[in-house]
Amino acid sequence: MSTRFLVSNEQEHEAGLTAAKAALAEKRCIVLPTDTVYGIGADAFSAQGVAMLLAAKGRGRTMPPPVLIAQSATMDGLARDIPDAARKLADAFWPGGLTLILQAQPSLTWDLGETRGTVGLRVPNDDTALELLRETGPLAVSSANRSGQPAALDVDSAMEQLGESVDVYLDGGSRGEDPTQVLPSTIIDCTGEHLKVVRAGAISIEELRVVVPEVLDLGQDAPGQDA
């Protein structure tokens, strides 16, 4: 049976984090607030937990979830050959709405799906999420909704869509009133010769280019390539 905790309440906050950690340790799924939308999370190193996450969303292995981490220093343990430009973006926008796709460390014993050797990493700007991540380590987290449905901006919406497939719901209040006004994280592919935006979101291309001027916008070709 699913349990819901109001994390703005001090007693429920502690009880909720304890219950969430227990569920994750048992290879089960939780729902947690982030700085963008609510996320469904599982232990990134639990193949069973990640499989349950994908099943709860109705999503296949061809759409692997990104991984949330508590601090940018964790990036080197999970990714290799990290471009200097990617580090600059992490320094500038983490914690925040930026996901970086990087080459995964080949030694990692995890199964996030068909990743083609990459991993999407993000440090969320949410106190509850960061507190949990500091205690659990990296979590595979995707938006808390059934695939093809609007992202959940509150726990009620997440519970409607995911129900008993999630053990623990951490209620951090509404993320906004209108799903069209709440932007997901901006995703940047850092695995090629040029960094490029593959999903527009919370961090604009103008903001990105203040830090790394050569970032390619969504759909933009690299210099010297035919359009």
Side-chain angles (χ1 to χ4, degrees), residues 29-110:
C29 295
I30 68 166
V31 159
L32 69 158
T34 79
D35 48 332
T36 53
V37 297
Y38 273 81
I40 176 173
D43 180 353
F45 293 96
S46 167
Q48 178 182 320
V50 173
M52 292 185 69
L53 182 159
L54 294 173
K57 285 182 63 74
R59 175 176 285 186
R61 289 173 50 80
T62 56
M63 299 180 71
V67 173
L68 297 189
I69 54 179
Q71 57 184 355
S72 58
T74 307
M75 184 165 53
D76 287 287
L78 303 179
R80 63 179 175 86
D81 302 330
I82 302 170
D84 288 341
R87 293 187 188 278
K88 289 179 181 178
L89 292 175
D91 288 342
F93 298 110
W94 282 357
L98 180 70
T99 299
L100 300 176
I101 298 175
L102 300 161
Q103 297 288 350
Q105 287 283 8
S107 59
L108 291 174
T109 55
W110 62 11

Side-chain angles (χ1 to χ4, degrees), residues 139-157:
L139 295 179
V141 178
S142 184
S143 56
N145 56 279
R146 292 286 295 175
S147 190
Q149 297 300 309
L153 301 186
D154 54 42
V155 163
D156 288 336
S157 177

